[in-house]
């Protein structure tokens, strides 16, 4: 043995082994502490998710906003999802859906460019998650209502634009699809009609940042060389069975999913609310459009 070669004293050997065990234990604790610290600092920053956002109905209710009622148990997710007694999965394109779906019927966008006329809209332009979004944004269906479990909110307040609030824009209550970005069509149909000189293939990633010095040529092959950087979300990842929907631009679970860079933006106005790419530099638009 290694220790017996240099120490014939059994007591000394025993003490050496004890010290070795202590050293191994201390090293393990140090490693776990470092790992925990790394995980802590690598985590999501506060209020970058649903909690405390404009999709947190309980939070809004606690501030008196819109007359919305809080959930009895101060829950956040319950206004859209529930672990039990959800609406049948075949009826809604969302897991464990717990909110009343909108029943409004709206006419689709009207194509202005003749080249777009062959691009067909689905029978229901609110196909997929768009109709679920309208469960709050149609201005009719109660925002503060959820399903038949204990602690149900009464659900009396429909969405309304309140002057002087972040939600005062009339664009947040959707009552006319002809004045919004078109939804309810297949992206592949649009790409087939317009081609790569007008649209980006849906296999491409959303732009993370447009360079400070804009370039005239924004064709995909030149973008990376011109300083464009990209995120990890592909355009196709945000489509509903290939259809363009509200969720193709908006990420409802993260109020700061793509935050503007305050160093090159108006001070005090940094977040891009619920979108997949920055509005700064029109990164969101340019992720799909070649202009």
């Amino acid at each position: 043995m290694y220790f017996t070669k240099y120490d014939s004293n059994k007591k000394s050997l025993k003490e050496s082994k004890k010290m070795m065990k202590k050293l191994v234990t201390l090293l393990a604790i140090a490693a776990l502490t470092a790992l925990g610290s790394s995980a802590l600092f690598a985590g999501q920053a506060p209020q970058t998710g649903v909690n405390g956002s404009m999709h947190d109905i309980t939070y809004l209710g606690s501030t008196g906003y819109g007359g919305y009622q809080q959930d009895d148990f101060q829950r956040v997710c319950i206004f859209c999802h529930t672990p039990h007694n959800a609406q049948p999965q075949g009826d809604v394109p969302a897991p464990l859906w717990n909110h009343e779906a909108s029943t409004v019927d709206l006419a689709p966008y009207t194509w202005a460019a003749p080249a777009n006329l062959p691009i067909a809209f689905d029978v229901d332009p609110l196909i997929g998650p768009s109709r679920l979004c309208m469960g709050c944004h149609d201005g009719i269906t109660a925002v503060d209502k959820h399903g038949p479990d204990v602690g149900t909110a009464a659900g009396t307040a429909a969405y309304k634009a309140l002057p002087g609030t972040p939600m005062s824009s009339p664009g947040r209550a959707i009552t006319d699809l002809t004045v919004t970005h078109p939804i309810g069509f297949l992206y592949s149909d649009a790409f087939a009609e317009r081609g790569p000189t007008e649209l980006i293939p849906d296999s491409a990633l959303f732009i993370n940042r447009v360079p400070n010095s804009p370039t005239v040529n924004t064709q995909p092959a030149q973008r990376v060389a011109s300083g464009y950087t990209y995120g990890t979300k592909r355009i196709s990842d945000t489509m509903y069975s290939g259809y363009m929907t509200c969720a193709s631009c908006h990420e409802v679970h993260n109020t700061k999913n793509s935050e503007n860079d305050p160093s090159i933006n108006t001070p005090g106005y940094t977040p891009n609310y619920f979108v997949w790419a920055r509005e700064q530099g029109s990164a969101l638009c340019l992720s799909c459009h070649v202009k």
Side-chain angles (χ1 to χ4, degrees):
M1 295 290 295
Y2 179 85
F3 288 106
T4 57
K5 183 176 180 180
Y6 296 97
D7 188 356
S8 58
N9 189 300
K10 292 183 179 180
K11 183 177 179 181
S12 178
L13 175 61
K14 186 176 181 181
E15 291 297 326
S16 297
K17 287 183 177 180
K18 287 175 64 178
M19 290 183 65
M20 184 63 72
K21 286 182 179 179
K22 288 181 179 180
L23 178 60
V24 171
T25 301
L26 289 172
L27 288 172
I29 292 173
L32 288 172
T33 302
L35 179 62
S37 298
S38 298
L40 176 64
F41 287 110
Q44 195 176 43
Q47 292 192 346
T48 57
V50 174
N51 296 71
S53 76
M54 297 304 289
H55 282 171
D56 183 347
I57 307 305
T58 287
Y59 164 72
L60 296 179
S62 70
T63 66
Y65 178 87
Y68 301 147
Q69 298 185 56
Q70 305 176 58
D71 174 67
D72 294 347
F73 299 128
Q74 303 295 298
R75 291 172 293 185
V76 177
C77 304
I78 200 70
F79 287 91
C80 290
H81 304 282
T82 180
H84 305 289
N85 300 316
Q87 295 188 33
Q89 185 67 54
D91 294 346
V92 292
L96 301 172
W97 194 249
N98 197 40
H99 195 83
E100 184 178 356
S102 174
T103 58
V104 299
D105 291 316
L106 301 176
Y109 181 88
T110 302
W111 295 118
N116 288 340
L117 295 179
I119 304 172
F121 291 94
D122 190 79
V123 174
D124 179 12
L126 294 174
I127 184 174
S130 296
R131 186 164 291 281
L132 304 183
C133 297
M134 293 293 282
C136 287
H137 287 274
D138 63 358
I140 301 172
T141 308
V143 172
D144 56 341
K145 181 179 182 180
H146 56 71
D149 68 332
V150 176
T152 299
T156 57
Y159 167 77
K160 61 185 72 173
L162 302 180
T165 72
M167 295 288 281
S168 62
S169 168
R172 275 133 176 134
I174 308 299
T175 58
D176 186 355
L177 293 180
T178 66
V179 295
T180 69
H181 186 287
I183 56 175
F185 64 92
L186 288 168
Y187 191 90
S188 58
D189 286 353
F191 188 81
E193 293 299 326
R194 303 315 301 253
T197 61
E198 292 287 338
L199 289 176
I200 303 295
D202 64 2
S203 58
L205 298 169
F206 277 92
I207 295 172
N208 180 54
R209 179 166 183 163
V210 175
N212 294 345
S213 299
T215 56
V216 174
N217 191 337
T218 56
Q219 293 291 335
Q222 283 75 41
R223 283 184 172 179
V224 175
S226 299
Y228 287 77
T229 59
Y230 292 83
T232 59
K233 181 68 67 174
R234 297 190 181 280
I235 295 172
S236 58
D237 295 338
T238 67
M239 299 294 160
Y240 175 74
S241 298
Y243 280 91
M244 184 86 182
T245 70
C246 297
S248 299
C249 290
H250 297 280
E251 208 295 60
V252 299
H253 295 109
N254 199 328
T255 188
K256 293 183 181 178
N257 183 72
S258 186
E259 194 169 30
N260 280 332
D261 184 349
S263 67
I264 54 174
N265 197 70
T266 304
Y269 184 77
T270 58
N272 279 12
Y273 287 99
F274 303 111
V275 289
W276 289 112
R278 291 172 174 171
E279 293 179 13
Q280 193 175 55
S282 292
L284 182 63
C285 303
L286 294 175
S287 290
C288 293
H289 294 274
V290 180
K291 296 295 181 184

